[in-house]
């Protein structure tokens, strides 16, 4: 089975550009950097920071991006999500999508994503946002 939501760093973009129908860049990209194979390129500049003030609308942005990915998947499109090094932003957005799509908590979604990216270490600021949007079930 071929995965339909691909995650990685900016260097991986070249390797998947012919496999992805849509690219979600979570960092600044040059016009020649994002690959010509993908039909759609969406660029959202999340600040790679643990300071809440650097991403004042983080909850909204994460929820919106999860829905953006889900909409493309509903159209049977393959999406590649990346940032520069896939340490903070990419695992967080991938977890947001999983939480939205599977109905799991942000914490559980992040636990599923982090092992897939060798250098992933989402900041507490980002993981707290996931927990606010997709809280664990209260027992």
């Amino acid at each position: 089975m071929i995965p339909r939501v691909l995650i990685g760093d900016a260097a991986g973009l070249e390797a998947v550009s012919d496999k992805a129908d849509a690219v979600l860049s979570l960092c600044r990209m040059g016009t020649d950097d994002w690959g010509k194979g993908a039909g759609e390129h969406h660029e959202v500049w999340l600040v790679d920071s643990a300071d809440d003030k650097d991403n004042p609308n983080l909850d909204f942005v994460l929820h919106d991006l999860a829905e953006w990915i889900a909409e493309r998947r509903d159209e049977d499109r393959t999406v590649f999500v990346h940032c520069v090094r896939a340490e903070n932003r990419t695992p967080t957005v991938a977890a947001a999508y999983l939480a939205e799509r599977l109905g799991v908590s942000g914490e559980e979604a992040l636990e599923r994503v982090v092992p897939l990216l060798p250098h992933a270490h989402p900041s507490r600021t980002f993981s707290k946002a996931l927990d606010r949007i997709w809280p664990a079930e209260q027992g």
Side-chain angles (χ1 to χ4, degrees), residues 29-49:
M29 298 293 293
T31 56
D32 292 333
D33 295 335
W34 66 271
K36 300 304 178 203
E40 179 180 5
H41 181 226
H42 190 59
E43 195 170 332
V44 177
W45 296 0
L46 281 176
V47 179
D48 195 358
S49 171

Side-chain angles (χ1 to χ4, degrees), residues 103 105 135-139:
S105 70
E137 292 293 321
Q138 300 296 317

Side-chain angles (χ1 to χ4, degrees), residues 16-113:
V16 301
S17 65
D18 63 335
K19 296 172 185 65
D21 302 306
V23 173
L24 175 57
S25 296
L26 303 170
C27 56
R28 185 174 56 192
M29 298 293 293
T31 56
D32 292 333
D33 295 335
W34 66 271
K36 300 304 178 203
E40 179 180 5
H41 181 226
H42 190 59
E43 195 170 332
V44 177
W45 296 0
L46 281 176
V47 179
D48 195 358
S49 171
D51 188 339
D52 292 337
K53 292 179 234 158
D54 290 334
N55 290 295
N57 300 305
L58 184 59
D59 293 15
F60 172 81
V61 171
L62 291 177
H63 191 263
D64 192 54
L65 292 175
E67 288 180 339
W68 186 89
I69 297 167
E71 287 170 8
R72 274 120 195 104
R73 287 299 309 123
D74 289 345
E75 296 167 355
D76 200 34
R77 295 168 69 192
T78 299
V79 179
F80 179 58
V81 179
H82 79 91
C83 61
V84 176
R85 292 182 305 267
E87 295 174 340
N88 188 21
R89 295 170 285 188
T90 297
T92 302
V93 170
Y97 166 71
L98 276 185
E100 181 73 15
R101 180 58 85 182
L102 301 180
V104 298
S105 70
E107 179 181 9
E108 181 180 338
L110 202 54
E111 288 173 359
R112 292 182 184 196
V113 170

